Each structure stands twice: as C-alpha cells, then as structure tokens.
Amino acid sequence: MRNGLRTAGIVAVVVAAAFAYVHLAENKGYALKAGSEAPGFRLPSLAGGEVDLASQRGKVVVLNFWATWCPPCVAEMPSLERLHRALSPEGVSVVTVSTDEDEAELPRFAAERSLTLPVLQDPRARPARGEAHH
C-alpha cells in the first residue's frame, strides 16, 4: 500500500510538472496556440532559390524539422515523401527543414532517396546531436 501511494505521488508530481512546463512555454510564446498562424520564415531550398512559408498560406502544410543523422527522422522520410506525392495534387504541402551541418550530406541523402518534396535548409538551427526537433 505504501509503495502504491509513493508511485501515485511521483506520477502526480510528474504530471503537474509537465502541465506547468507547457503552460510556461505557451505564455512565453514558445508554443503556438491552436488556430494561430505559424510564424513566417524564408529558407534556402536544396533545389535552389528560397521558399517563403508565407507562400503556403491557405494550404494545409505538413512542416517537418529533421536531420540526416537522426534515425527516427530518416525512418519517417519515406512516408513523408509518399504523403507529398499523394496529396500535393490536392493542395497539401509537405515541407521539410533540415538542420544538417554537413552541406555535402544533405544533397547526397536526398538524391539517394529520390526525394521530390521540398527540402529547406536552416543554417541557424544547429541542435546538439540527440536533441529532439519534431
């Protein structure tokens, strides 16, 4: 009984901390509120030129931040490519933003997988390896 109460107490503290973190993040502007517009950005495209997120206004946009060294990111890329090919004729945009530092790796990665979806490069986003970016 005592261990059950201790476990319940720990779970309650963890849940409270998670809610507090989300509340603080929303109040500091780190998170978007439901129904709000995504902040605009303009990034260089692997295909050349730049892509402005504002050009996607009025469309459903699937925006994915990823890196070639991130195993879950690599694993989900084929499904994002299929989604892009299937739904782009319907007006759905699948846009990916790579945070790769290695400028030679990204084009090789995209070519090996025959990616046709937009791959943008964010030269300012340099998360540490192992840091989540979804």
Side-chain angles (χ1 to χ4, degrees):
M1 179 72 171
R2 189 173 213 148
N3 284 340
L5 288 175
R6 179 178 293 153
T7 301
I10 291 170
V11 168
V13 168
V14 169
V15 169
F19 276 107
Y21 174 78
V22 169
H23 178 72
L24 287 173
E26 287 176 348
N27 287 339
K28 291 189 178 232
Y30 300 145
L32 293 176
K33 295 186 190 289
S36 63
E37 285 188 2
F41 61 79
R42 180 187 304 262
L43 293 172
S45 171
L46 188 60
E50 290 187 333
V51 173
D52 187 347
L53 186 62
S55 70
Q56 303 295 314
R57 296 278 185 236
K59 295 182 179 180
V60 173
V61 178
V62 177
L63 183 60
N64 185 49
F65 292 85
W66 67 288
T68 59
W69 48 260
C70 166
C73 302
V74 171
E76 72 187 357
M77 197 54 62
S79 62
L80 288 169
E81 177 66 23
R82 285 191 305 276
L83 185 68
H84 165 71
R85 289 181 185 198
L87 296 181
S88 63
E90 306 298 324
V92 175
S93 293
V94 179
V95 179
T96 66
V97 178
S98 169
T99 60
D100 280 287
E101 294 179 27
D102 185 348
E103 292 183 23
E105 177 63 17
L106 184 57
R108 183 195 63 73
F109 179 93
E112 284 178 356
R113 288 159 180 81
S114 302
L115 296 180
T116 63
L117 52 77
V119 177
L120 309 183
Q121 300 168 286
D122 190 349
R124 297 176 309 272
R126 298 292 181 244
R129 287 186 185 263
E131 186 176 309
H133 26 172
H134 287 284

mmCIF file of all heavy atoms in Angstrom, residues 26-80:
data_model
loop_
_atom_site.group_PDB
_atom_site.id
_atom_site.type_symbol
_atom_site.label_atom_id
_atom_site.label_comp_id
_atom_site.label_asym_id
_atom_site.label_seq_id
_atom_site.Cartn_x
_atom_site.Cartn_y
_atom_site.Cartn_z
ATOM 1 N N GLU A 26 3.747 28.147 -23.348
ATOM 2 C CA GLU A 26 2.708 28.870 -24.080
ATOM 3 C C GLU A 26 2.713 30.343 -23.715
ATOM 4 O O GLU A 26 2.580 31.200 -24.577
ATOM 5 C CB GLU A 26 1.337 28.262 -23.805
ATOM 6 C CG GLU A 26 1.130 26.931 -24.489
ATOM 7 C CD GLU A 26 -0.196 26.290 -24.135
ATOM 8 O OE1 GLU A 26 -0.875 26.756 -23.190
ATOM 9 O OE2 GLU A 26 -0.549 25.307 -24.799
ATOM 10 N N ASN A 27 2.899 30.662 -22.447
ATOM 11 C CA ASN A 27 2.884 32.051 -22.010
ATOM 12 C C ASN A 27 4.113 32.822 -22.472
ATOM 13 O O ASN A 27 4.065 34.031 -22.631
ATOM 14 C CB ASN A 27 2.750 32.140 -20.491
ATOM 15 C CG ASN A 27 1.350 31.781 -20.037
ATOM 16 O OD1 ASN A 27 0.406 31.846 -20.807
ATOM 17 N ND2 ASN A 27 1.215 31.389 -18.787
ATOM 18 N N LYS A 28 5.227 32.155 -22.686
ATOM 19 C CA LYS A 28 6.439 32.826 -23.151
ATOM 20 C C LYS A 28 6.495 32.884 -24.667
ATOM 21 O O LYS A 28 7.449 33.392 -25.231
ATOM 22 C CB LYS A 28 7.678 32.110 -22.611
ATOM 23 C CG LYS A 28 7.836 32.285 -21.123
ATOM 24 C CD LYS A 28 9.165 31.747 -20.668
ATOM 25 C CE LYS A 28 9.287 31.988 -19.190
ATOM 26 N NZ LYS A 28 10.507 32.652 -18.852
ATOM 27 N N GLY A 29 5.520 32.319 -25.342
ATOM 28 C CA GLY A 29 5.482 32.377 -26.792
ATOM 29 C C GLY A 29 6.268 31.274 -27.478
ATOM 30 O O GLY A 29 6.514 31.342 -28.666
ATOM 31 N N TYR A 30 6.701 30.262 -26.749
ATOM 32 C CA TYR A 30 7.459 29.169 -27.351
ATOM 33 C C TYR A 30 6.566 28.197 -28.101
ATOM 34 O O TYR A 30 7.051 27.439 -28.919
ATOM 35 C CB TYR A 30 8.240 28.390 -26.291
ATOM 36 C CG TYR A 30 9.242 29.208 -25.523
ATOM 37 C CD1 TYR A 30 9.475 28.958 -24.189
ATOM 38 C CD2 TYR A 30 9.959 30.224 -26.125
ATOM 39 C CE1 TYR A 30 10.399 29.699 -23.475
ATOM 40 C CE2 TYR A 30 10.878 30.965 -25.420
ATOM 41 C CZ TYR A 30 11.095 30.701 -24.097
ATOM 42 O OH TYR A 30 11.994 31.422 -23.402
ATOM 43 N N ALA A 31 5.301 28.192 -27.797
ATOM 44 C CA ALA A 31 4.379 27.256 -28.431
ATOM 45 C C ALA A 31 3.272 28.042 -29.126
ATOM 46 O O ALA A 31 2.900 29.119 -28.684
ATOM 47 C CB ALA A 31 3.777 26.327 -27.377
ATOM 48 N N LEU A 32 2.780 27.498 -30.221
ATOM 49 C CA LEU A 32 1.660 28.123 -30.907
ATOM 50 C C LEU A 32 0.358 27.691 -30.257
ATOM 51 O O LEU A 32 0.213 26.551 -29.859
ATOM 52 C CB LEU A 32 1.642 27.703 -32.376
ATOM 53 C CG LEU A 32 2.796 28.188 -33.239
ATOM 54 C CD1 LEU A 32 2.668 27.598 -34.645
ATOM 55 C CD2 LEU A 32 2.833 29.697 -33.308
ATOM 56 N N LYS A 33 -0.559 28.609 -30.177
ATOM 57 C CA LYS A 33 -1.887 28.268 -29.684
ATOM 58 C C LYS A 33 -2.710 27.744 -30.853
ATOM 59 O O LYS A 33 -2.490 28.131 -32.003
ATOM 60 C CB LYS A 33 -2.541 29.501 -29.072
ATOM 61 C CG LYS A 33 -1.809 29.995 -27.839
ATOM 62 C CD LYS A 33 -2.579 31.122 -27.193
ATOM 63 C CE LYS A 33 -1.801 31.808 -26.130
ATOM 64 N NZ LYS A 33 -1.508 31.259 -24.949
ATOM 65 N N ALA A 34 -3.634 26.864 -30.557
ATOM 66 C CA ALA A 34 -4.489 26.285 -31.596
ATOM 67 C C ALA A 34 -5.171 27.397 -32.379
ATOM 68 O O ALA A 34 -5.703 28.344 -31.798
ATOM 69 C CB ALA A 34 -5.524 25.365 -30.965
ATOM 70 N N GLY A 35 -5.120 27.289 -33.701
ATOM 71 C CA GLY A 35 -5.774 28.263 -34.565
ATOM 72 C C GLY A 35 -4.908 29.464 -34.911
ATOM 73 O O GLY A 35 -5.300 30.278 -35.745
ATOM 74 N N SER A 36 -3.730 29.593 -34.289
ATOM 75 C CA SER A 36 -2.871 30.739 -34.599
ATOM 76 C C SER A 36 -2.014 30.429 -35.824
ATOM 77 O O SER A 36 -1.777 29.273 -36.159
ATOM 78 C CB SER A 36 -1.986 31.084 -33.401
ATOM 79 O OG SER A 36 -1.107 30.021 -33.108
ATOM 80 N N GLU A 37 -1.572 31.487 -36.507
ATOM 81 C CA GLU A 37 -0.747 31.309 -37.694
ATOM 82 C C GLU A 37 0.688 30.976 -37.297
ATOM 83 O O GLU A 37 1.201 31.485 -36.311
ATOM 84 C CB GLU A 37 -0.735 32.577 -38.530
ATOM 85 C CG GLU A 37 -2.001 32.810 -39.296
ATOM 86 C CD GLU A 37 -1.862 33.981 -40.270
ATOM 87 O OE1 GLU A 37 -0.784 34.580 -40.368
ATOM 88 O OE2 GLU A 37 -2.864 34.276 -40.924
ATOM 89 N N ALA A 38 1.313 30.139 -38.083
ATOM 90 C CA ALA A 38 2.729 29.834 -37.865
ATOM 91 C C ALA A 38 3.540 31.079 -38.206
ATOM 92 O O ALA A 38 3.184 31.829 -39.114
ATOM 93 C CB ALA A 38 3.161 28.667 -38.751
ATOM 94 N N PRO A 39 4.623 31.317 -37.485
ATOM 95 C CA PRO A 39 5.461 32.466 -37.828
ATOM 96 C C PRO A 39 6.088 32.267 -39.205
ATOM 97 O O PRO A 39 6.398 31.144 -39.599
ATOM 98 C CB PRO A 39 6.529 32.480 -36.734
ATOM 99 C CG PRO A 39 6.488 31.135 -36.104
ATOM 100 C CD PRO A 39 5.133 30.562 -36.356
ATOM 101 N N GLY A 40 6.238 33.346 -39.924
ATOM 102 C CA GLY A 40 6.807 33.254 -41.255
ATOM 103 C C GLY A 40 8.310 33.035 -41.225
ATOM 104 O O GLY A 40 8.979 33.388 -40.260
ATOM 105 N N PHE A 41 8.829 32.428 -42.264
ATOM 106 C CA PHE A 41 10.265 32.301 -42.444
ATOM 107 C C PHE A 41 10.558 32.094 -43.916
ATOM 108 O O PHE A 41 9.711 31.679 -44.691
ATOM 109 C CB PHE A 41 10.876 31.174 -41.596
ATOM 110 C CG PHE A 41 10.349 29.793 -41.895
ATOM 111 C CD1 PHE A 41 10.794 29.079 -43.002
ATOM 112 C CD2 PHE A 41 9.422 29.213 -41.051
ATOM 113 C CE1 PHE A 41 10.313 27.803 -43.270
ATOM 114 C CE2 PHE A 41 8.937 27.933 -41.308
ATOM 115 C CZ PHE A 41 9.383 27.233 -42.422
ATOM 116 N N ARG A 42 11.765 32.426 -44.311
ATOM 117 C CA ARG A 42 12.251 32.242 -45.676
ATOM 118 C C ARG A 42 13.575 31.501 -45.550
ATOM 119 O O ARG A 42 14.491 31.960 -44.872
ATOM 120 C CB ARG A 42 12.447 33.578 -46.352
ATOM 121 C CG ARG A 42 12.956 33.485 -47.775
ATOM 122 C CD ARG A 42 13.282 34.873 -48.329
ATOM 123 N NE ARG A 42 12.144 35.768 -48.245
ATOM 124 C CZ ARG A 42 11.309 36.036 -49.246
ATOM 125 N NH1 ARG A 42 11.504 35.480 -50.420
ATOM 126 N NH2 ARG A 42 10.312 36.864 -49.097
ATOM 127 N N LEU A 43 13.650 30.326 -46.212
ATOM 128 C CA LEU A 43 14.849 29.499 -46.112
ATOM 129 C C LEU A 43 15.309 29.046 -47.484
ATOM 130 O O LEU A 43 14.491 28.871 -48.396
ATOM 131 C CB LEU A 43 14.576 28.261 -45.251
ATOM 132 C CG LEU A 43 14.305 28.505 -43.771
ATOM 133 C CD1 LEU A 43 13.856 27.216 -43.090
ATOM 134 C CD2 LEU A 43 15.524 29.072 -43.082
ATOM 135 N N PRO A 44 16.621 28.816 -47.624
ATOM 136 C CA PRO A 44 17.122 28.292 -48.898
ATOM 137 C C PRO A 44 16.640 26.865 -49.131
ATOM 138 O O PRO A 44 16.544 26.067 -48.194
ATOM 139 C CB PRO A 44 18.649 28.341 -48.737
ATOM 140 C CG PRO A 44 18.900 28.450 -47.279
ATOM 141 C CD PRO A 44 17.684 29.054 -46.656
ATOM 142 N N SER A 45 16.343 26.561 -50.387
ATOM 143 C CA SER A 45 15.865 25.233 -50.775
ATOM 144 C C SER A 45 17.016 24.437 -51.364
ATOM 145 O O SER A 45 17.867 24.987 -52.072
ATOM 146 C CB SER A 45 14.752 25.366 -51.807
ATOM 147 O OG SER A 45 14.417 24.111 -52.340
ATOM 148 N N LEU A 46 17.015 23.149 -51.100
ATOM 149 C CA LEU A 46 18.017 22.266 -51.683
ATOM 150 C C LEU A 46 17.925 22.289 -53.209
ATOM 151 O O LEU A 46 18.925 22.152 -53.902
ATOM 152 C CB LEU A 46 17.824 20.843 -51.144
ATOM 153 C CG LEU A 46 18.889 19.822 -51.482
ATOM 154 C CD1 LEU A 46 20.256 20.251 -50.954
ATOM 155 C CD2 LEU A 46 18.517 18.472 -50.893
ATOM 156 N N ALA A 47 16.724 22.521 -53.732
ATOM 157 C CA ALA A 47 16.504 22.568 -55.181
ATOM 158 C C ALA A 47 16.964 23.896 -55.792
ATOM 159 O O ALA A 47 16.972 24.045 -57.002
ATOM 160 C CB ALA A 47 15.025 22.344 -55.489
ATOM 161 N N GLY A 48 17.345 24.854 -54.942
ATOM 162 C CA GLY A 48 17.766 26.168 -55.417
ATOM 163 C C GLY A 48 16.743 27.231 -55.065
ATOM 164 O O GLY A 48 15.554 26.943 -54.919
ATOM 165 N N GLY A 49 17.199 28.427 -54.904
ATOM 166 C CA GLY A 49 16.325 29.530 -54.538
ATOM 167 C C GLY A 49 15.926 29.460 -53.076
ATOM 168 O O GLY A 49 16.544 28.750 -52.278
ATOM 169 N N GLU A 50 14.902 30.219 -52.742
ATOM 170 C CA GLU A 50 14.391 30.246 -51.382
ATOM 171 C C GLU A 50 12.897 29.952 -51.393
ATOM 172 O O GLU A 50 12.222 30.190 -52.388
ATOM 173 C CB GLU A 50 14.620 31.612 -50.739
ATOM 174 C CG GLU A 50 16.060 31.914 -50.428
ATOM 175 C CD GLU A 50 16.215 33.198 -49.639
ATOM 176 O OE1 GLU A 50 15.358 34.096 -49.748
ATOM 177 O OE2 GLU A 50 17.206 33.294 -48.905
ATOM 178 N N VAL A 51 12.421 29.442 -50.276
ATOM 179 C CA VAL A 51 10.993 29.193 -50.097
ATOM 180 C C VAL A 51 10.537 30.041 -48.919
ATOM 181 O O VAL A 51 11.155 30.032 -47.855
ATOM 182 C CB VAL A 51 10.701 27.699 -49.838
ATOM 183 C CG1 VAL A 51 9.247 27.494 -49.475
ATOM 184 C CG2 VAL A 51 11.080 26.871 -51.057
ATOM 185 N N ASP A 52 9.454 30.767 -49.127
ATOM 186 C CA ASP A 52 8.873 31.608 -48.088
ATOM 187 C C ASP A 52 7.619 30.900 -47.579
ATOM 188 O O ASP A 52 6.732 30.575 -48.373
ATOM 189 C CB ASP A 52 8.521 32.970 -48.686
ATOM 190 C CG ASP A 52 8.067 33.975 -47.655
ATOM 191 O OD1 ASP A 52 7.784 33.583 -46.502
ATOM 192 O OD2 ASP A 52 7.987 35.160 -48.000
ATOM 193 N N LEU A 53 7.563 30.637 -46.294
ATOM 194 C CA LEU A 53 6.396 29.956 -45.736
ATOM 195 C C LEU A 53 5.113 30.728 -46.038
ATOM 196 O O LEU A 53 4.055 30.127 -46.216
ATOM 197 C CB LEU A 53 6.554 29.737 -44.231
ATOM 198 C CG LEU A 53 5.457 28.918 -43.561
ATOM 199 C CD1 LEU A 53 5.401 27.499 -44.130
ATOM 200 C CD2 LEU A 53 5.643 28.868 -42.060
ATOM 201 N N ALA A 54 5.201 32.045 -46.133
ATOM 202 C CA ALA A 54 4.014 32.851 -46.435
ATOM 203 C C ALA A 54 3.389 32.454 -47.767
ATOM 204 O O ALA A 54 2.182 32.614 -47.963
ATOM 205 C CB ALA A 54 4.368 34.338 -46.431
ATOM 206 N N SER A 55 4.180 31.901 -48.678
ATOM 207 C CA SER A 55 3.639 31.476 -49.973
ATOM 208 C C SER A 55 2.714 30.268 -49.833
ATOM 209 O O SER A 55 2.006 29.929 -50.772
ATOM 210 C CB SER A 55 4.771 31.144 -50.952
ATOM 211 O OG SER A 55 5.445 29.960 -50.559
ATOM 212 N N GLN A 56 2.713 29.639 -48.673
ATOM 213 C CA GLN A 56 1.886 28.457 -48.433
ATOM 214 C C GLN A 56 0.560 28.796 -47.734
ATOM 215 O O GLN A 56 -0.224 27.910 -47.448
ATOM 216 C CB GLN A 56 2.655 27.449 -47.574
ATOM 217 C CG GLN A 56 3.980 27.013 -48.162
ATOM 218 C CD GLN A 56 3.803 26.253 -49.456
ATOM 219 O OE1 GLN A 56 2.976 25.374 -49.560
ATOM 220 N NE2 GLN A 56 4.589 26.609 -50.455
ATOM 221 N N ARG A 57 0.330 30.089 -47.455
ATOM 222 C CA ARG A 57 -0.903 30.492 -46.764
ATOM 223 C C ARG A 57 -2.128 29.974 -47.507
ATOM 224 O O ARG A 57 -2.183 29.989 -48.729
ATOM 225 C CB ARG A 57 -1.000 32.007 -46.639
ATOM 226 C CG ARG A 57 0.074 32.626 -45.797
ATOM 227 C CD ARG A 57 -0.259 32.542 -44.318
ATOM 228 N NE ARG A 57 0.758 33.274 -43.574
ATOM 229 C CZ ARG A 57 1.485 32.739 -42.610
ATOM 230 N NH1 ARG A 57 1.306 31.486 -42.261
ATOM 231 N NH2 ARG A 57 2.371 33.455 -41.985
ATOM 232 N N GLY A 58 -3.095 29.497 -46.766
ATOM 233 C CA GLY A 58 -4.322 28.981 -47.349
ATOM 234 C C GLY A 58 -4.269 27.500 -47.662
ATOM 235 O O GLY A 58 -5.274 26.914 -48.033
ATOM 236 N N LYS A 59 -3.097 26.890 -47.521
ATOM 237 C CA LYS A 59 -2.939 25.458 -47.757
ATOM 238 C C LYS A 59 -2.764 24.737 -46.423
ATOM 239 O O LYS A 59 -2.370 25.329 -45.431
ATOM 240 C CB LYS A 59 -1.688 25.171 -48.593
ATOM 241 C CG LYS A 59 -1.706 25.694 -49.993
ATOM 242 C CD LYS A 59 -0.426 25.290 -50.686
ATOM 243 C CE LYS A 59 -0.387 25.762 -52.125
ATOM 244 N NZ LYS A 59 0.868 25.367 -52.778
ATOM 245 N N VAL A 60 -3.023 23.456 -46.451
ATOM 246 C CA VAL A 60 -2.635 22.611 -45.323
ATOM 247 C C VAL A 60 -1.156 22.323 -45.520
ATOM 248 O O VAL A 60 -0.738 21.890 -46.594
ATOM 249 C CB VAL A 60 -3.448 21.297 -45.301
ATOM 250 C CG1 VAL A 60 -2.911 20.359 -44.225
ATOM 251 C CG2 VAL A 60 -4.925 21.590 -45.090
ATOM 252 N N VAL A 61 -0.350 22.602 -44.496
ATOM 253 C CA VAL A 61 1.094 22.419 -44.595
ATOM 254 C C VAL A 61 1.556 21.448 -43.513
ATOM 255 O O VAL A 61 1.274 21.644 -42.333
ATOM 256 C CB VAL A 61 1.845 23.761 -44.431
ATOM 257 C CG1 VAL A 61 3.356 23.552 -44.496
ATOM 258 C CG2 VAL A 61 1.401 24.756 -45.489
ATOM 259 N N VAL A 62 2.239 20.404 -43.936
ATOM 260 C CA VAL A 62 2.909 19.489 -43.008
ATOM 261 C C VAL A 62 4.351 19.957 -42.971
ATOM 262 O O VAL A 62 5.056 19.886 -43.979
ATOM 263 C CB VAL A 62 2.818 18.022 -43.487
ATOM 264 C CG1 VAL A 62 3.593 17.110 -42.542
ATOM 265 C CG2 VAL A 62 1.369 17.591 -43.614
ATOM 266 N N LEU A 63 4.790 20.467 -41.821
ATOM 267 C CA LEU A 63 6.129 21.020 -41.679
ATOM 268 C C LEU A 63 6.928 20.107 -40.765
ATOM 269 O O LEU A 63 6.546 19.867 -39.626
ATOM 270 C CB LEU A 63 6.035 22.427 -41.094
ATOM 271 C CG LEU A 63 7.320 23.209 -40.935
ATOM 272 C CD1 LEU A 63 8.015 23.404 -42.282
ATOM 273 C CD2 LEU A 63 7.014 24.556 -40.293
ATOM 274 N N ASN A 64 8.042 19.584 -41.279
ATOM 275 C CA ASN A 64 8.844 18.612 -40.543
ATOM 276 C C ASN A 64 10.285 19.102 -40.423
ATOM 277 O O ASN A 64 10.929 19.389 -41.424
ATOM 278 C CB ASN A 64 8.813 17.263 -41.278
ATOM 279 C CG ASN A 64 9.534 16.194 -40.507
ATOM 280 O OD1 ASN A 64 9.309 16.015 -39.321
ATOM 281 N ND2 ASN A 64 10.405 15.467 -41.170
ATOM 282 N N PHE A 65 10.780 19.195 -39.191
ATOM 283 C CA PHE A 65 12.176 19.542 -38.931
ATOM 284 C C PHE A 65 12.923 18.247 -38.680
ATOM 285 O O PHE A 65 12.469 17.397 -37.924
ATOM 286 C CB PHE A 65 12.277 20.468 -37.713
ATOM 287 C CG PHE A 65 11.685 21.821 -37.965
ATOM 288 C CD1 PHE A 65 10.327 22.037 -37.794
ATOM 289 C CD2 PHE A 65 12.480 22.864 -38.397
ATOM 290 C CE1 PHE A 65 9.765 23.279 -38.036
ATOM 291 C CE2 PHE A 65 11.933 24.111 -38.656
ATOM 292 C CZ PHE A 65 10.575 24.319 -38.465
ATOM 293 N N TRP A 66 14.100 18.103 -39.296
ATOM 294 C CA TRP A 66 14.790 16.824 -39.251
ATOM 295 C C TRP A 66 16.281 17.003 -39.538
ATOM 296 O O TRP A 66 16.742 18.102 -39.855
ATOM 297 C CB TRP A 66 14.177 15.873 -40.272
ATOM 298 C CG TRP A 66 14.407 16.306 -41.691
ATOM 299 C CD1 TRP A 66 13.829 17.364 -42.348
ATOM 300 C CD2 TRP A 66 15.317 15.723 -42.615
ATOM 301 N NE1 TRP A 66 14.310 17.451 -43.626
ATOM 302 C CE2 TRP A 66 15.228 16.466 -43.815
ATOM 303 C CE3 TRP A 66 16.185 14.648 -42.560
ATOM 304 C CZ2 TRP A 66 15.980 16.160 -44.944
ATOM 305 C CZ3 TRP A 66 16.930 14.345 -43.688
ATOM 306 C CH2 TRP A 66 16.820 15.091 -44.859
ATOM 307 N N ALA A 67 17.030 15.898 -39.460
ATOM 308 C CA ALA A 67 18.451 15.873 -39.818
ATOM 309 C C ALA A 67 18.798 14.466 -40.293
ATOM 310 O O ALA A 67 18.188 13.485 -39.870
ATOM 311 C CB ALA A 67 19.322 16.250 -38.627
ATOM 312 N N THR A 68 19.796 14.364 -41.170
ATOM 313 C CA THR A 68 20.181 13.065 -41.715
ATOM 314 C C THR A 68 20.801 12.152 -40.668
ATOM 315 O O THR A 68 20.800 10.944 -40.834
ATOM 316 C CB THR A 68 21.175 13.222 -42.882
ATOM 317 O OG1 THR A 68 22.337 13.913 -42.410
ATOM 318 C CG2 THR A 68 20.545 13.978 -44.033
ATOM 319 N N TRP A 69 21.326 12.704 -39.583
ATOM 320 C CA TRP A 69 21.954 11.901 -38.534
ATOM 321 C C TRP A 69 20.961 11.447 -37.468
ATOM 322 O O TRP A 69 21.330 10.767 -36.528
ATOM 323 C CB TRP A 69 23.113 12.659 -37.879
ATOM 324 C CG TRP A 69 22.787 14.067 -37.480
ATOM 325 C CD1 TRP A 69 23.099 15.205 -38.165
ATOM 326 C CD2 TRP A 69 22.084 14.489 -36.321
ATOM 327 N NE1 TRP A 69 22.629 16.307 -37.503
ATOM 328 C CE2 TRP A 69 21.994 15.896 -36.362
ATOM 329 C CE3 TRP A 69 21.505 13.828 -35.247
ATOM 330 C CZ2 TRP A 69 21.362 16.641 -35.379
ATOM 331 C CZ3 TRP A 69 20.874 14.581 -34.266
ATOM 332 C CH2 TRP A 69 20.817 15.966 -34.341
ATOM 333 N N CYS A 70 19.694 11.781 -37.634
ATOM 334 C CA CYS A 70 18.641 11.445 -36.662
ATOM 335 C C CYS A 70 17.906 10.191 -37.154
ATOM 336 O O CYS A 70 17.147 10.265 -38.121
ATOM 337 C CB CYS A 70 17.692 12.630 -36.542
ATOM 338 S SG CYS A 70 16.140 12.298 -35.707
ATOM 339 N N PRO A 71 18.134 9.016 -36.526
ATOM 340 C CA PRO A 71 17.496 7.782 -37.014
ATOM 341 C C PRO A 71 15.971 7.849 -37.158
ATOM 342 O O PRO A 71 15.449 7.413 -38.190
ATOM 343 C CB PRO A 71 17.937 6.724 -35.999
ATOM 344 C CG PRO A 71 19.246 7.237 -35.488
ATOM 345 C CD PRO A 71 19.066 8.741 -35.433
ATOM 346 N N PRO A 72 15.217 8.406 -36.192
ATOM 347 C CA PRO A 72 13.762 8.478 -36.403
ATOM 348 C C PRO A 72 13.393 9.385 -37.580
ATOM 349 O O PRO A 72 12.431 9.124 -38.297
ATOM 350 C CB PRO A 72 13.217 9.047 -35.090
ATOM 351 C CG PRO A 72 14.281 8.806 -34.080
ATOM 352 C CD PRO A 72 15.575 8.831 -34.829
ATOM 353 N N CYS A 73 14.188 10.443 -37.786
ATOM 354 C CA CYS A 73 13.936 11.350 -38.916
ATOM 355 C C CYS A 73 14.135 10.624 -40.245
ATOM 356 O O CYS A 73 13.334 10.772 -41.164
ATOM 357 C CB CYS A 73 14.886 12.550 -38.858
ATOM 358 S SG CYS A 73 14.793 13.521 -37.347
ATOM 359 N N VAL A 74 15.205 9.856 -40.330
ATOM 360 C CA VAL A 74 15.497 9.097 -41.554
ATOM 361 C C VAL A 74 14.405 8.064 -41.796
ATOM 362 O O VAL A 74 13.951 7.874 -42.925
ATOM 363 C CB VAL A 74 16.887 8.436 -41.452
ATOM 364 C CG1 VAL A 74 17.121 7.462 -42.599
ATOM 365 C CG2 VAL A 74 17.983 9.504 -41.416
ATOM 366 N N ALA A 75 13.953 7.430 -40.719
ATOM 367 C CA ALA A 75 12.920 6.392 -40.843
ATOM 368 C C ALA A 75 11.589 6.953 -41.339
ATOM 369 O O ALA A 75 10.858 6.270 -42.056
ATOM 370 C CB ALA A 75 12.728 5.683 -39.505
ATOM 371 N N GLU A 76 11.262 8.188 -40.980
ATOM 372 C CA GLU A 76 9.971 8.747 -41.387
ATOM 373 C C GLU A 76 10.008 9.415 -42.763
ATOM 374 O O GLU A 76 8.968 9.726 -43.332
ATOM 375 C CB GLU A 76 9.457 9.733 -40.346
ATOM 376 C CG GLU A 76 10.198 11.046 -40.302
ATOM 377 C CD GLU A 76 9.779 11.936 -39.145
ATOM 378 O OE1 GLU A 76 8.862 11.569 -38.385
ATOM 379 O OE2 GLU A 76 10.371 13.007 -39.011
ATOM 380 N N MET A 77 11.186 9.617 -43.333
ATOM 381 C CA MET A 77 11.289 10.326 -44.617
ATOM 382 C C MET A 77 10.547 9.632 -45.756
ATOM 383 O O MET A 77 9.865 10.315 -46.542
ATOM 384 C CB MET A 77 12.760 10.566 -44.963
ATOM 385 C CG MET A 77 12.965 11.609 -46.024
ATOM 386 S SD MET A 77 12.193 13.220 -45.700
ATOM 387 C CE MET A 77 13.021 13.750 -44.214
ATOM 388 N N PRO A 78 10.620 8.299 -45.905
ATOM 389 C CA PRO A 78 9.846 7.669 -46.991
ATOM 390 C C PRO A 78 8.338 7.924 -46.883
ATOM 391 O O PRO A 78 7.672 8.157 -47.898
ATOM 392 C CB PRO A 78 10.167 6.176 -46.856
ATOM 393 C CG PRO A 78 11.488 6.141 -46.169
ATOM 394 C CD PRO A 78 11.479 7.327 -45.231
ATOM 395 N N SER A 79 7.795 7.927 -45.671
ATOM 396 C CA SER A 79 6.358 8.168 -45.531
ATOM 397 C C SER A 79 6.019 9.628 -45.840
ATOM 398 O O SER A 79 4.964 9.915 -46.406
ATOM 399 C CB SER A 79 5.855 7.765 -44.142
ATOM 400 O OG SER A 79 6.471 8.534 -43.140
ATOM 401 N N LEU A 80 6.911 10.550 -45.506
ATOM 402 C CA LEU A 80 6.679 11.954 -45.856
ATOM 403 C C LEU A 80 6.730 12.151 -47.373
ATOM 404 O O LEU A 80 5.933 12.903 -47.938
ATOM 405 C CB LEU A 80 7.701 12.857 -45.166
ATOM 406 C CG LEU A 80 7.516 13.024 -43.662
ATOM 407 C CD1 LEU A 80 8.723 13.718 -43.052
ATOM 408 C CD2 LEU A 80 6.239 13.793 -43.356
#
